[in-house]
Amino acid sequence: MLKVPEHQVAGHQASDGKLGPLIDDSGRFYKPLQNGERGSREVAFYTKFSSNAKVPDHIRRYFPVFYGTQLLEASDGSGLHPHIILQDLVSTRVYPSVMDIKIGSRTWYPQAPEDYVQKCLKKDRECTSLSLGFRICGLQTYESEESGFWKPDKKRLQSFNLEDVRSSLWRFISSNPSSDSEPGCSYASVVYGGSKGILAQLLELKAWFEDQTSFQFNSCSVLMIYEKKTAEAGVSSAEVKLVDFAHVVHDQGVIDHNFLGGFCSLMKFVSEILASPVDK
């Protein structure tokens, strides 16, 4: 039985008769293939990535498991549609806090049509992609049983500036994210810090990106995920995952500086939070 994901924070969503991803109860995520080159490019990435012997095992864990493709009834009622089948990254969590961050100051792919380039460039200029090298596309942070999740709407996210980004990265690991005052009682040291925290995982990925030339990750996202209950107990359940590969190109023979630059910028923000007083 397929259903709409409860904890999807960005991207096309299967609501109000729209085409979007679905999940099942066995931990699988069914993403509709985008039309034209985008869909075939994403399948090609997962196929090549899965069989690429140059990718170390410790790096593979940062990517969703790929289970192939399948024709399924589309969520918008339009009939059968090809879907890519992936690991549902939050299926084992009860109240997952999730942030989706699109990486890169340039979000289009080489050889993209001029009208698409201009559309992306306009969006990159209007948000923080161009200035910071990344933008927050979606987030939810679990607050309490009474308050539920703090989840800024899409319009608010699109207007984020540098201070909004910094504040949201703080609120993401705060016990009171929806508070109008400065978020306090943060779980920074547990979620962002430590040998199993988000920064350590980003550093491991960074080392790979400084070396690999097999893929250029245009318009991909970093997902940061954790569970508040374990953070309260001082245990890290934080995970970093990379998603959205419809614009990846292969075998360019050069370091992906566009992605790496935005990635390092994100790491700088996380590092600054860890260096700040815990009771901020």
Side-chain angles (χ1 to χ4, degrees):
M1 188 69 173
L2 299 180
K3 54 191 176 182
V4 176
E6 187 181 353
H7 301 296
Q8 184 184 350
V9 297
H12 302 287
Q13 299 185 5
S15 58
D16 303 321
K18 294 177 182 176
L19 183 64
L22 301 165
I23 58 171
D24 64 16
D25 290 323
S26 68
R28 297 196 175 190
F29 184 91
Y30 300 82
K31 179 181 179 180
L33 287 190
Q34 297 183 58
N35 294 326
E37 289 185 359
R38 296 186 195 185
S40 58
R41 196 180 286 118
E42 186 147 36
V43 173
F45 166 75
Y46 276 110
T47 303
K48 287 189 177 185
F49 184 82
S50 300
S51 61
N52 191 320
K54 293 180 181 178
V55 180
D57 288 342
H58 72 278
I59 294 299
R60 291 187 187 279
R61 73 186 180 100
Y62 294 111
F63 293 77
V65 178
F66 172 56
Y67 299 106
T69 60
Q70 187 177 340
L71 275 175
L72 296 169
E73 285 290 333
S75 61
D76 62 356
S78 60
L80 291 175
H81 189 95
H83 288 65
I84 189 167
I85 310 170
L86 303 168
Q87 172 191 9
D88 180 358
L89 299 175
V90 297
S91 64
T92 60
R93 298 175 183 266
V94 182
Y95 300 116
S97 294
V98 184
M99 185 180 291
D100 182 308
I101 305 164
K102 190 177 292 291
I103 304 293
S105 56
R106 186 198 70 246
T107 56
W108 62 91
Y109 57 97
Q111 288 82 51
E114 183 59 29
D115 60 337
Y116 183 78
V117 171
Q118 292 305 318
K119 178 183 174 183
C120 290
L121 185 57
K122 182 176 185 292
K123 186 180 285 189
D124 295 345
R125 283 172 172 162
E126 290 172 350
C127 63
T128 61
S129 288
L130 207 57
S131 57
L132 299 182
F134 68 89
R135 68 172 177 258
I136 297 174
C137 291
L139 75 118
Q140 66 174 31
T141 302
Y142 185 69
E143 188 154 12
S144 64
E145 197 171 325
E146 299 75 31
S147 305
F149 289 92
W150 175 66
K151 190 173 183 177
D153 63 43
K154 192 174 180 180
K155 267 191 173 177
R156 176 76 187 94
L157 290 165
Q158 288 171 342
S159 66
F160 266 15
N161 57 28
L162 183 151
E163 288 308 319
D164 295 322
V165 167
R166 183 176 284 121
S167 172
S168 293
L169 286 166
W170 261 110
R171 291 178 189 277
F172 183 61
I173 43 85
S174 168
S175 62
N176 58 331
S178 64
S179 172
D180 289 333
S181 60
E182 281 291 312
C185 239
S186 77
Y187 310 118
S189 61
V190 176
V191 178
Y192 288 154
S195 61
K196 296 181 179 178
I198 281 172
L199 184 60
Q201 294 177 54
L202 293 175
L203 280 164
E204 192 168 55
L205 272 167
K206 175 177 173 280
W208 182 65
F209 274 102
E210 288 174 333
D211 182 61
Q212 75 87 23
T213 59
S214 298
F215 308 101
Q216 301 281 302
F217 288 89
N218 305 295
S219 198
C220 296
S221 286
V222 166
L223 283 189
M224 303 195 304
I225 308 164
Y226 79 95
E227 191 91 44
K228 182 180 179 181
K229 189 175 182 180
T230 57
E232 285 177 329
V235 178
S236 177
S237 64
E239 280 189 297
V240 170
K241 296 288 185 180
L242 299 184
V243 296
D244 297 339
F245 307 113
H247 299 297
V248 170
V249 293
H250 308 271
D251 303 320
Q252 300 294 295
V254 294
I255 301 294
D256 188 353
H257 290 290
N258 178 57
F259 189 94
L260 190 55
F263 200 76
C264 290
S265 176
L266 171 62
M267 288 177 60
K268 182 173 181 288
F269 276 80
V270 174
S271 298
E272 286 173 352
I273 289 173
L274 282 170
S276 299
V278 173
D279 60 349
K280 176 177 173 175

